[in-house]
Amino acid sequence: MSVNIDNFKSVVKGIQRSTLFEVIVTGAPVIGAFATDNLRFTCKAASVPGSTFGVIEVPYMGRKVKFAGDRTYEEWQTTVIVDNDWEVYKTIYDWHSRMNHPQDNIAVTENMNNNKGTAIIRMLSVTGKSNFAMKLVGFFPHNLQQMDVAWDNNDATADLSVSWSYDYAVRID
């Protein structure tokens, strides 16, 4: 194998920059930040979701033959910059309240599927073109994490971490 830079450059013509992405939420039961593209511009960290297959082991003549089992999806994490209007926080809080109101202990709808939306994470090229995209279907925020504030956090943004659940993810690029 040759350690020639030209061989590397002939295969790798460009690289995906992890900083070039956008998150879009559609079909959410609450509008707020999602209608104004607020989340698209303030989501400063996310991930391309992964999935895992269970393994079914079937014994056969002293050996185990492995087959793919059920697919599972991990929760999806985002970090959002909180701006002065708190629009993203308010929208997610209102979404939580639809699923279970903090004071009344009731949901807005009996059909819990009405509390789900769709999210898209899109990876962008250096020219702004979409290189790769995943759609998360049956998407809802299940953990609006506490946001630490402190007097000694100079020159830093107030960040909100949100954990999301979803039914499944599909590639849409």
Side-chain angles (χ1 to χ4, degrees):
M1 177 165 196
S2 174
V3 187
N4 183 316
I5 192 71
D6 291 328
N7 292 343
F8 175 77
K9 288 177 9 182
S10 71
V11 174
V12 180
K13 294 176 179 54
I15 55 169
Q16 177 65 53
R17 295 185 184 172
S18 62
T19 56
L20 297 178
F21 72 95
E22 62 184 359
V23 171
I24 303 160
V25 174
T26 61
V30 289
I31 305 301
F34 308 135
T36 61
D37 274 343
N38 195 314
L39 181 67
R40 176 184 261 172
F41 294 111
T42 59
C43 184
K44 77 174 202 176
S47 61
V48 175
S51 65
T52 303
F53 279 101
V55 176
I56 301 169
E57 293 183 345
V58 179
Y60 176 74
M61 295 192 176
R63 293 188 178 176
K64 293 190 178 176
V65 179
K66 296 180 182 181
F67 296 96
D70 293 331
R71 182 191 302 245
T72 58
Y73 298 96
E74 298 176 15
E75 63 184 30
W76 189 56
Q77 305 290 328
T78 59
T79 304
V80 179
I81 298 169
V82 178
D83 57 2
N84 282 334
D85 65 6
W86 285 70
E87 191 67 28
V88 173
Y89 183 92
K90 291 175 189 176
T91 302
I92 295 170
Y93 185 87
D94 290 346
W95 196 341
H96 267 197
S97 294
R98 280 184 57 84
M99 293 185 285
N100 180 265
H101 193 275
Q103 185 177 6
D104 299 333
N105 195 28
I106 59 172
V108 170
T109 178
E110 287 187 23
N111 184 346
M112 294 310 282
N113 288 317
N114 292 339
N115 288 324
K116 295 180 178 183
T118 301
I120 296 171
I121 178 154
R122 184 173 287 133
M123 301 303 298
L124 306 172
S125 72
V126 293
T127 61
K129 177 183 159 264
S130 177
N131 281 342
F132 180 82
M134 295 286 289
K135 177 168 66 170
L136 286 64
V137 179
F139 171 83
F140 65 95
H142 79 262
N143 187 1
L144 182 58
Q145 298 173 8
Q146 73 180 20
M147 186 176 66
D148 295 330
V149 294
W151 286 1
D152 59 352
N153 284 348
N154 293 341
D155 301 324
T157 58
D159 294 336
L160 176 65
S161 296
V162 184
S163 300
W164 307 82
S165 290
Y166 54 99
D167 295 333
Y168 62 94
V170 293
R171 197 181 94 212
I172 59 170
D173 60 305

